């Protein structure tokens, strides 16, 4: 099939392009040529800017399917390129997020209410409006493609090349050993999906031309924050010992959720217990967590640049917390 990836060179897009090429599809990537431009010599590369409206290379060409990694997350920008593409595209995969759901304190399946943007669309992406803006982008896709579109709402995506570092922090920290601070209680639910499993499934959706909306993360109840260090220890052979600190103590020390990734307030636990039965029925499958840990650790250990600034406790801060 002729597949156009919008984005395609950082993390999920990169894995999706890899998966599509491995399955013999004829892949075109469209991006600015800034991030990892050397990747995928076998793909056709179109250069432009979805935010700046540099869309010239998209004016011609016919593709069976688009995998849209949504590099802008701005509904007005999405509408602009959809208008251009819609007449020449067979099928559309749009990558959204579980952050679209309005109430993280209630059980979530695909019919749960979504957020509403209560102001005019901003000219630039705003992190505080992430979920609302994704809802607007989803609507634009459904309006343009209807039954020829699938909306995929991933939760936490993990694995090699993750630019965010929320899972990588724990893999790296446990491998380093010693006493590790974690947010109690250990039965805290964790739901995640390996980037390669999700990417392979995106390509399968393309091949099957499935329509609809799908939550896409791990199976609720399969993993807890307590089991994660055990799995990490088994993979890395480290001597790490987890010290579970009560939320009240973390709050008193002004620890932020970014310093302890995967720490959600109890009221938000449903965001880590999302119903994914719809995706399972459509073929989403998962590798063992040990494989995700092993490959993330190997990738993280081999790279030179540090983890994303601001994710995880610094060694000094962790020592302070342990001392108190
Ligand atoms: N990570 C998670 O846990 C998570 C969870 C839920 C949902 N998601 C969603 O997953 C999606 C995939 O993100 P990803 O970073 O992994 O995708 P990706 O496709 O691997 O990387 C982003 C791509 O966008 C391109 N790009 C950036 N700005 C652009 C512009 N103005 N015009 C054209 N191309 C542009 C980048 O290349 P250039 O820089 O060369 O342009 C890069 O190829 C996002 O929509 C995100 O909301 C992620």
């Amino acid at each position: 099939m002729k597949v156009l990836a919008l984005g395609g060179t950082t993390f999920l897009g990169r894995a999706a392009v890899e998966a599509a090429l491995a399955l013999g599809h004829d892949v075109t990537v469209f991006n600015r040529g800034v991030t990892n431009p050397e990747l995928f010599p076998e793909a056709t590369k179109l250069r432009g800017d979805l935010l700046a409206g540099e869309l010239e290379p998209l004016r011609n060409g016919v593709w069976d399917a688009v995998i849209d990694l949504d590099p802008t997350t701005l509904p007005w920008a999405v509408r602009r390129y959809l208008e251009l593409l819609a007449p020449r595209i067979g099928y559309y995969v749009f990558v959204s997020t579980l952050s679209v759901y309005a109430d993280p304190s209630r059980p979530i399946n695909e019919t749960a209410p979504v957020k509403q943007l209560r102001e005019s669309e901003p000219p630039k992406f705003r992190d505080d409006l992430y979920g609302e803006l994704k809802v607007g982008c989803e609507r634009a896709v459904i309006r343009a493609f209807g039954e020829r579109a699938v909306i995929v709402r991933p939760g936490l995506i993990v694995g090699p090349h993750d630019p965010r570092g929320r899972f990588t922090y724990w893999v790296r920290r446990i491998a380093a050993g010693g006493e590790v601070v974690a947010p109690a209680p250990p039965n805290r639910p964790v739901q995640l999906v390996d980037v390669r499993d999700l990417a392979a499934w995106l390509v399968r959706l393309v091949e099957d031309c499935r329509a609809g909306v799908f939550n896409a993360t791990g199976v609720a109840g399969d993993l807890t924050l307590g089991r994660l260090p055990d799995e990490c220890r088994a993979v890395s052979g480290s001597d790490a010992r987890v010290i579970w600190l009560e939320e009240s103590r973390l709050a008193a020390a002004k620890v932020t959720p970014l310093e302890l990734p995967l720490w959600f307030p109890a009221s938000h636990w449903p965001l880590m217990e999302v119903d994914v039965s719809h995706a399972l029925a459509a073929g989403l499958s998962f590798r063992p967590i040990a494989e995700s840990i092993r490959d993330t650790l190997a990738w993280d250990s081999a790279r030179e640049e540090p983890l994303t600034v601001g994710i995880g406790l610094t060694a000094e801060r962790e020592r302070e917390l342990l001392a108190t």
Side-chain angles (χ1 to χ4, degrees):
M1 292 173 81
K2 286 191 74 180
V3 178
L4 169 65
L6 299 179
T9 55
T10 303
F11 184 39
L12 178 58
R14 176 182 183 148
V17 170
E18 247 164 40
L21 288 169
L23 286 164
H25 295 295
D26 175 359
V27 181
T28 301
V29 291
F30 176 92
N31 52 50
R32 297 167 303 173
V34 172
T35 310
N36 303 318
E38 71 289 354
L39 287 177
F40 311 127
E42 61 276 56
T44 304
K45 296 178 185 181
L46 300 179
R47 300 296 185 220
D49 190 325
L50 298 171
L51 188 59
E54 291 164 18
L55 308 173
E56 225 25 62
L58 298 179
R59 285 188 195 281
N60 299 304
V62 174
W63 289 274
D64 298 305
V66 169
I67 301 179
D68 183 352
L69 285 304
D70 188 22
T72 70
T73 312
L74 285 166
W76 58 262
V78 172
R79 284 193 296 273
R80 185 170 61 189
Y81 61 76
L82 286 179
E83 195 180 340
L84 203 65
L85 287 171
R88 288 171 290 109
I89 303 295
Y91 173 76
Y92 209 89
V93 180
F94 180 78
V95 177
S96 184
T97 169
L98 289 180
S99 300
V100 294
Y101 291 110
D103 188 351
S105 68
R106 296 190 160 256
I108 293 172
N109 66 18
E110 287 85 353
T111 64
V114 294
K115 294 175 178 169
Q116 304 290 338
L117 192 60
R118 305 207 181 277
E119 52 189 282
S120 52
E121 291 177 13
K124 287 189 181 159
F125 172 71
R126 272 177 43 194
D127 207 32
D128 61 318
L129 295 177
Y130 178 54
E132 288 86 338
L133 291 172
K134 280 283 195 186
V135 171
C137 298
E138 287 186 358
R139 290 206 173 120
V141 171
I142 296 295
R143 204 168 300 126
F145 283 90
E147 287 298 302
R148 293 184 293 133
V150 66
I151 305 292
V152 175
R153 294 174 175 164
L156 178 67
I157 309 171
V158 308
H161 306 291
D162 179 0
R164 301 287 301 276
R166 291 168 293 182
F167 176 74
T168 312
Y169 168 74
W170 290 107
V171 170
R172 174 191 274 205
R173 181 63 197 89
I174 298 292
E179 292 192 326
V180 179
V181 168
N187 69 344
R188 176 180 297 284
V190 173
Q191 237 177 337
L192 49 79
V193 59
D194 188 290
V195 66
R196 296 158 295 178
D197 296 332
L198 182 56
W201 186 62
L202 293 182
V203 177
R204 185 160 168 192
L205 290 173
V206 166
E207 292 170 341
D208 296 350
C209 286
R210 275 189 192 262
V213 180
F214 293 87
N215 294 331
T217 185
V219 175
D222 267 10
L223 188 61
T224 59
L225 197 54
R227 203 186 116 209
L228 186 59
D230 294 342
E231 295 278 355
C232 290
R233 257 193 308 265
V235 169
S236 61
S238 101
D239 66 353
R241 192 165 71 88
V242 179
I243 311 294
W244 299 97
L245 293 189
E246 294 303 325
E247 289 190 314
S248 54
R249 285 190 55 192
L250 295 171
K254 296 197 167 40
V255 176
T256 68
L258 280 182
E259 286 182 299
L260 283 179
L262 311 189
W263 171 28
F264 283 81
S267 60
H268 284 37
W269 281 16
L271 262 185
M272 285 282 174
E273 294 171 318
V274 169
D275 178 5
V276 293
S277 50
H278 198 190
L280 297 180
L284 178 61
S285 62
F286 310 96
R287 70 195 60 215
I289 184 74
E291 206 174 308
S292 304
I293 294 168
R294 184 197 66 202
D295 297 345
T296 303
L297 187 58
W299 162 73
D300 186 52
S301 309
R303 71 203 177 115
E304 282 164 17
E305 74 264 41
L307 268 184
T308 315
V309 177
I311 296 279
L313 288 171
T314 61
E316 189 187 1
R317 186 109 159 98
E318 194 175 47
R319 269 195 305 275
E320 277 168 22
L321 283 166
L322 288 168
T324 59

